[in-house]
Amino acid sequence: MAKPPDCSHCQKPATIHLTQIINNQIKKLDFCENCPHQKGVTDPTGFSLAQLLAQNDLSASTGADGSLTCSACGFSPSDFKRLGRLGCPECYESLGDFISPMLEKMHRGTHHTGKCPDELLARIQITRRIEAIEKALREAIEEEAYEEAARLRDELKALQNTQVSGNVNYG
Amino acid sequence: MPRTFYANMQIQPLIDGRSELTHAAEPPQEVIISTRVRLARNLQGHAFPGWAKAAQRRAVLSECEETIAGLAQMQKGAVLEIENLSDLEKQVLVERHLISRELSAHGAGSGVVVSPDQSTSIMINEEDHLRIQVLRSGYHFNDIWNAIDAIDSSLESSLNYAFSENLGYLTACPTNVGTGLRASVMMHLPGLVLANQMEKVVRAVNQLGMVVRGLFGEGSDASGSLFQISNQQTLGESEQDIIRRLGIVIETIKEQEINARLRLIENEPEKLADKIGRAYGILQHGHVLSSSEAMNFLSLIRLAVDCGLLPVEQRAQVDRLFLECQPGHIQFAAKENIDSDGRDTARARMLRKETGDMPSLNFDKLAFS
Ligand SMILES: [Zn+2]
Ligand SMILES: [Zn+2]
């Protein structure tokens, strides 16, 4: 698992995490447990936690409907209000702004701390390695370092072959 | 598909087999009936069952069925597709806790694979693509966790699970995301019911983020004084922590139950003796018994065993009868179509036969003052 981020205020590990889109900017805020800065004090990004939560509730109940849909399966928050269930695993990412506040209310935490299968972790690591090589490859091509680019391309091909191919099967 | 009643019942081998719930390897204990853990899992790149089109559901079903049937734990197990089962067969499976009511209401594209001893069942295309369940008689969280973890890991090596580093296992309902784990214990709490304390217990348990349900889950009644206690939250806590916290709650409830029984024995021994005596008499001699009546009388017999009025060997019989007196099981055993009145008569007949040679009640153990 990735190392948990530190609190935006202290150096302690953060246990409270907020992601919020305000004025089209994604803000991520992390607080340690019982953080003295959590209440009252304005955070470095200029919003108090209370303000954030208020806005969170607002975006979840009004604005989002209709406009927000999952890019993978076409599911929208109004479908959730009707069915009480999500459309596909991608919805968690696509409809994150709608789902995150719910998760905070439902659960004891916002981060998974349980079983993390080796297979999946290995796959995540391969994906990350591929992303890094793709970036290096683009740079190599820009710099006209063709030998380096060829080497990276081979490495990339090898990694892509080890990746388990997921069947994408949406309607 | 027209189906001749009782011809080719696919579940007959399950009924005939020695299952964990009807023939547990270890003698049952007091207060705790069974322990269960389920994991919700989904496949990456596929819409959840409730949002998927029929063809997508069928694709997931055949992929999962094949993988699950290949598990070492599921060798010689039953692979059942919901659309091929009669209503009665589905009802029997629900009564055995092998499928949920939700799955039984689904049509094409849903199925279940059950291990030969019926301790493991994996539902396909219920609310999630996979619902893996391991159930054992008695209190066995460690063994169950090890067993289900191993099954999950082997499935994971062939299936591409939907998993996020941040949110864990992604599930159709946000209430299950993270570990996808629900751990639950079926408890027998007649002392707390008789002392009118269950409401208090339910409230206290809820405050700890746990839930109390009846025998068949949400909305089912509490006949037989049987209750399932389970965790509600799945994100932000590891599987071990969830199980450990639930374990503490279970221990506390068990203590409360035993205290309630001791108070009953001390304060109202005649009232308790009378309830047990009537239950015993009606089970041995009644001719019309509804399932909830039967459950309540069986519950009092289990309480009588715990109080020392009957030998401990009787517990296993009571636990088996809890299952076999359910409407679907009575109908299934009848081998012909009977109505509700007919079932009540058949149930009473079965219970007369089963309890006919039960040892007599040793009321001395209640130590009347
Ligand atoms: Zn802090
Ligand atoms: Zn989606």
Side-chain angles (χ1 to χ4, degrees):
Chain A
M1 276 207 68
K3 181 186 172 295
D6 285 333
C7 176
S8 314
H9 298 274
C10 323
Q11 268 20 74
K12 295 180 216 164
T15 55
I16 300 163
H17 312 275
L18 293 169
T19 306
Q20 181 62 29
I21 297 182
I22 298 153
N23 303 328
N24 291 323
Q25 279 194 297
I26 298 172
K27 309 259 183 197
K28 279 195 192 231
L29 288 174
D30 304 294
F31 294 98
C32 61
E33 199 165 17
N34 306 320
C35 182
H37 301 277
Q38 207 193 107
K39 285 197 186 85
V41 185
T42 308
D43 74 76
T45 61
F47 291 89
S48 79
L49 188 67
Q51 270 177 307
L52 279 171
L53 286 172
Q55 277 176 332
N56 227 340
D57 273 339
L58 214 67
S59 71
S61 58
T62 57
D65 279 54
S67 58
L68 208 60
T69 43
C70 173
S71 49
C73 75
F75 192 87
S76 75
S78 62
D79 293 316
F80 183 80
K81 280 168 189 166
R82 197 162 44 85
L83 302 168
R85 285 157 199 181
L86 296 165
C88 80
E90 288 298 314
C91 289
Y92 282 93
E93 190 74 42
S94 309
L95 310 179
D97 294 330
F98 172 70
I99 296 167
S100 299
M102 279 196 289
L103 296 180
E104 280 169 39
K105 283 184 198 126
M106 279 170 192
H107 294 287
R108 285 175 80 80
T110 52
H111 269 357
H112 178 57
T113 55
K115 182 173 178 177
C116 247
D118 295 342
E119 294 269 337
L120 287 169
L121 274 188
R123 205 175 302 155
I124 289 166
Q125 274 153 9
I126 291 172
T127 309
R128 287 205 180 132
R129 182 86 190 106
I130 287 174
E131 283 165 4
I133 294 173
E134 281 170 344
K135 186 165 172 269
L137 181 62
R138 277 193 303 274
E139 284 165 3
I141 292 168
E142 264 170 40
E143 289 161 17
E144 301 184 7
Y146 296 117
E147 247 173 69
E148 172 72 354
R151 192 189 62 76
L152 287 168
R153 207 171 277 130
D154 289 346
E155 198 181 336
L156 191 62
K157 217 170 266 169
L159 272 174
Q160 280 165 338
N161 285 338
T162 65
Q163 239 180 349
V164 183
S165 60
N167 305 346
V168 177
N169 193 16
Y170 299 113
Chain B
M1 169 180 27
R3 166 175 286 284
T4 323
F5 213 60
Y6 300 105
N8 294 321
M9 281 288 186
Q10 293 183 69
I11 62 163
Q12 191 66 53
L14 293 179
I15 300 286
D16 296 340
R18 295 175 67 81
S19 78
E20 180 61 25
L21 278 186
T22 56
H23 299 83
E26 289 167 39
Q29 318 157 15
E30 59 177 3
V31 185
I32 290 171
I33 308 263
S34 61
T35 320
R36 183 153 53 138
V37 172
R38 74 105 162 102
L39 295 174
R41 297 291 187 255
N42 288 281
L43 305 189
Q44 181 66 42
H46 292 270
F48 294 132
W51 189 246
K53 302 207 166 64
Q56 298 170 325
R57 286 163 53 98
R58 273 196 294 274
V60 168
L61 177 65
S62 53
E63 183 184 353
C64 291
E65 234 174 34
E66 199 179 311
T67 309
I68 294 166
L71 287 173
Q73 292 91 335
M74 295 310 222
Q75 291 315 300
K76 300 201 170 89
V79 182
L80 305 167
E81 293 194 9
I82 294 302
E83 63 178 328
N84 297 333
L85 294 174
S86 66
D87 287 346
L88 178 59
E89 287 177 297
K90 288 187 268 187
Q91 191 181 350
V92 168
L93 293 176
V94 170
E95 289 173 1
R96 299 197 152 224
H97 300 281
L98 295 173
I99 65 172
S100 63
R101 280 177 175 167
E102 166 152 357
L103 190 82
S104 80
H106 285 200
S110 293
V112 66
V113 184
V114 180
S115 70
D117 68 354
Q118 297 167 52
S119 66
T120 306
S121 83
I122 304 180
M123 290 189 280
I124 306 161
N125 280 330
E126 201 237 27
E127 178 178 307
D128 295 294
H129 292 138
L130 294 178
R131 286 284 179 98
I132 311 164
Q133 169 185 285
V134 174
L135 178 153
R136 286 200 45 197
S137 162
Y139 189 68
H140 293 289
F141 270 135
N142 285 340
D143 295 355
I144 292 182
W145 172 252
N146 291 337
I148 203 166
D149 185 33
I151 292 170
D152 180 49
S153 297
S154 356
L155 287 176
E156 186 240 343
S157 66
S158 342
L159 298 171
N160 194 5
Y161 279 168
F163 180 86
S164 119
E165 266 185 287
N166 187 33
L167 293 177
Y169 294 93
L170 302 175
T171 52
C173 186
T175 51
N176 293 317
V177 79
T179 57
L181 175 137
R182 175 168 285 161
S184 60
V185 176
M186 185 75 75
M187 300 188 84
H188 179 229
L189 306 173
L192 290 167
V193 170
L194 288 171
N196 284 320
Q197 304 233 307
M198 268 319 287
E199 235 183 85
K200 225 171 69 183
V201 171
V202 171
R203 236 180 298 127
V205 169
N206 286 345
Q207 272 169 5
L208 296 167
M210 311 276 174
V211 224
V212 182
R213 295 182 174 85
L215 177 59
F216 293 110
E218 228 121 10
S220 64
D221 67 359
S223 61
S225 298
L226 297 174
F227 298 91
Q228 294 181 65
I229 325 287
S230 52
N231 66 299
Q232 196 163 30
Q233 294 151 324
T234 51
L235 181 63
E237 228 180 343
S238 70
E239 291 83 357
Q240 287 74 17
D241 286 346
I242 292 172
I243 287 172
R244 189 185 43 76
R245 232 160 45 82
L246 180 65
I248 295 169
V249 172
I250 300 300
E251 279 305 315
T252 312
I253 297 175
K254 185 176 172 183
E255 245 173 66
Q256 297 292 313
E257 168 64 19
I258 287 170
N259 286 341
R261 291 179 184 185
L262 290 175
R263 276 197 303 276
L264 278 173
I265 293 171
E266 196 176 304
N267 302 334
E268 305 175 284
E270 292 88 355
K271 201 170 143 191
L272 183 62
D274 186 59
K275 275 186 185 295
I276 292 171
R278 282 166 190 261
Y280 185 93
I282 296 172
L283 284 172
Q284 281 195 337
H285 301 289
H287 279 66
V288 181
L289 274 174
S290 72
S291 72
S292 79
E293 262 182 310
M295 294 293 283
N296 288 333
F297 294 147
L298 290 167
S299 162
L300 284 161
I301 298 300
R302 205 180 202 275
L303 179 61
V305 176
D306 299 348
C307 295
L309 275 62
L310 285 168
V312 287
E313 293 74 46
Q314 291 304 130
R315 249 189 227 127
Q317 186 196 29
V318 169
D319 287 3
R320 177 170 52 80
L321 293 175
F322 271 145
L323 196 71
E324 291 177 355
C325 77
Q326 297 300 321
H329 277 75
I330 295 290
Q331 173 69 76
F332 195 89
K335 303 286 174 209
E336 58 171 341
N337 204 355
I338 49 178
D339 62 6
S340 157
D341 288 349
R343 277 201 303 276
D344 290 353
T345 316
R347 180 179 295 111
R349 194 184 314 121
M350 182 273 282
L351 288 168
R352 281 201 309 276
K353 190 164 163 261
E354 283 277 353
T355 60
D357 53 5
M358 200 157 48
S360 42
L361 292 165
N362 181 3
F363 283 114
D364 298 345
K365 297 280 178 157
L366 279 184
F368 290 92
S369 44

PDB file of all heavy atoms in Angstrom, chain A residues 70 72-75 87-91 94, ligand 2:
ATOM      1  N   CYS A  70     -20.791   8.669 -15.005  1.00  0.00           N
ATOM      2  CA  CYS A  70     -19.604   7.820 -15.062  1.00  0.00           C
ATOM      3  C   CYS A  70     -19.216   7.636 -16.524  1.00  0.00           C
ATOM      4  O   CYS A  70     -20.031   7.226 -17.347  1.00  0.00           O
ATOM      5  CB  CYS A  70     -19.886   6.470 -14.418  1.00  0.00           C
ATOM      6  SG  CYS A  70     -18.547   5.290 -14.633  1.00  0.00           S
ATOM      7  N   ALA A  72     -17.379   5.443 -17.795  1.00  0.00           N
ATOM      8  CA  ALA A  72     -17.304   4.034 -18.206  1.00  0.00           C
ATOM      9  C   ALA A  72     -18.674   3.407 -18.435  1.00  0.00           C
ATOM     10  O   ALA A  72     -18.856   2.612 -19.340  1.00  0.00           O
ATOM     11  CB  ALA A  72     -16.526   3.229 -17.173  1.00  0.00           C
ATOM     12  N   CYS A  73     -19.664   3.764 -17.590  1.00  0.00           N
ATOM     13  CA  CYS A  73     -20.935   3.033 -17.685  1.00  0.00           C
ATOM     14  C   CYS A  73     -22.160   3.932 -17.811  1.00  0.00           C
ATOM     15  O   CYS A  73     -23.286   3.427 -17.903  1.00  0.00           O
ATOM     16  CB  CYS A  73     -21.104   2.098 -16.488  1.00  0.00           C
ATOM     17  SG  CYS A  73     -21.546   2.932 -14.959  1.00  0.00           S
ATOM     18  N   GLY A  74     -21.972   5.244 -17.798  1.00  0.00           N
ATOM     19  CA  GLY A  74     -23.092   6.144 -17.998  1.00  0.00           C
ATOM     20  C   GLY A  74     -23.978   6.365 -16.784  1.00  0.00           C
ATOM     21  O   GLY A  74     -25.032   6.984 -16.874  1.00  0.00           O
ATOM     22  N   PHE A  75     -23.552   5.852 -15.642  1.00  0.00           N
ATOM     23  CA  PHE A  75     -24.335   5.953 -14.410  1.00  0.00           C
ATOM     24  C   PHE A  75     -24.254   7.376 -13.856  1.00  0.00           C
ATOM     25  O   PHE A  75     -23.213   8.020 -13.946  1.00  0.00           O
ATOM     26  CB  PHE A  75     -23.737   4.966 -13.401  1.00  0.00           C
ATOM     27  CG  PHE A  75     -24.558   4.719 -12.177  1.00  0.00           C
ATOM     28  CD1 PHE A  75     -25.539   3.742 -12.166  1.00  0.00           C
ATOM     29  CD2 PHE A  75     -24.318   5.437 -11.015  1.00  0.00           C
ATOM     30  CE1 PHE A  75     -26.277   3.495 -11.028  1.00  0.00           C
ATOM     31  CE2 PHE A  75     -25.056   5.196  -9.869  1.00  0.00           C
ATOM     32  CZ  PHE A  75     -26.030   4.215  -9.874  1.00  0.00           C
ATOM     33  N   GLY A  87     -23.095   1.898 -10.618  1.00  0.00           N
ATOM     34  CA  GLY A  87     -23.134   1.240 -11.919  1.00  0.00           C
ATOM     35  C   GLY A  87     -21.980   0.292 -12.188  1.00  0.00           C
ATOM     36  O   GLY A  87     -22.174  -0.802 -12.693  1.00  0.00           O
ATOM     37  N   CYS A  88     -20.766   0.719 -11.857  1.00  0.00           N
ATOM     38  CA  CYS A  88     -19.598  -0.104 -12.151  1.00  0.00           C
ATOM     39  C   CYS A  88     -18.452   0.328 -11.242  1.00  0.00           C
ATOM     40  O   CYS A  88     -18.526   1.369 -10.595  1.00  0.00           O
ATOM     41  CB  CYS A  88     -19.208   0.027 -13.632  1.00  0.00           C
ATOM     42  SG  CYS A  88     -18.266   1.526 -14.013  1.00  0.00           S
ATOM     43  N   PRO A  89     -17.375  -0.457 -11.192  1.00  0.00           N
ATOM     44  CA  PRO A  89     -16.259  -0.086 -10.312  1.00  0.00           C
ATOM     45  C   PRO A  89     -15.695   1.305 -10.620  1.00  0.00           C
ATOM     46  O   PRO A  89     -15.249   2.006  -9.708  1.00  0.00           O
ATOM     47  CB  PRO A  89     -15.217  -1.175 -10.600  1.00  0.00           C
ATOM     48  CG  PRO A  89     -16.015  -2.366 -11.041  1.00  0.00           C
ATOM     49  CD  PRO A  89     -17.162  -1.790 -11.815  1.00  0.00           C
ATOM     50  N   GLU A  90     -15.739   1.719 -11.904  1.00  0.00           N
ATOM     51  CA  GLU A  90     -15.198   3.029 -12.288  1.00  0.00           C
ATOM     52  C   GLU A  90     -15.980   4.193 -11.676  1.00  0.00           C
ATOM     53  O   GLU A  90     -15.472   5.301 -11.576  1.00  0.00           O
ATOM     54  CB  GLU A  90     -15.215   3.186 -13.810  1.00  0.00           C
ATOM     55  CG  GLU A  90     -14.202   2.346 -14.545  1.00  0.00           C
ATOM     56  CD  GLU A  90     -12.779   2.710 -14.157  1.00  0.00           C
ATOM     57  OE1 GLU A  90     -12.467   3.919 -14.107  1.00  0.00           O
ATOM     58  OE2 GLU A  90     -11.994   1.786 -13.879  1.00  0.00           O
ATOM     59  N   CYS A  91     -17.242   3.936 -11.309  1.00  0.00           N
ATOM     60  CA  CYS A  91     -18.083   5.005 -10.742  1.00  0.00           C
ATOM     61  C   CYS A  91     -17.392   5.663  -9.537  1.00  0.00           C
ATOM     62  O   CYS A  91     -17.546   6.857  -9.319  1.00  0.00           O
ATOM     63  CB  CYS A  91     -19.436   4.458 -10.298  1.00  0.00           C
ATOM     64  SG  CYS A  91     -20.540   3.996 -11.648  1.00  0.00           S
ATOM     65  N   SER A  94     -15.166   8.193 -11.226  1.00  0.00           N
ATOM     66  CA  SER A  94     -15.900   9.188 -12.019  1.00  0.00           C
ATOM     67  C   SER A  94     -16.830  10.038 -11.164  1.00  0.00           C
ATOM     68  O   SER A  94     -16.996  11.215 -11.417  1.00  0.00           O
ATOM     69  CB  SER A  94     -16.756   8.507 -13.085  1.00  0.00           C
ATOM     70  OG  SER A  94     -16.005   7.611 -13.832  1.00  0.00           O
TER      71      SER A  94
HETATM   72 ZN    ZN C   2     -19.612   3.493 -13.700  1.00  0.00          ZN
END
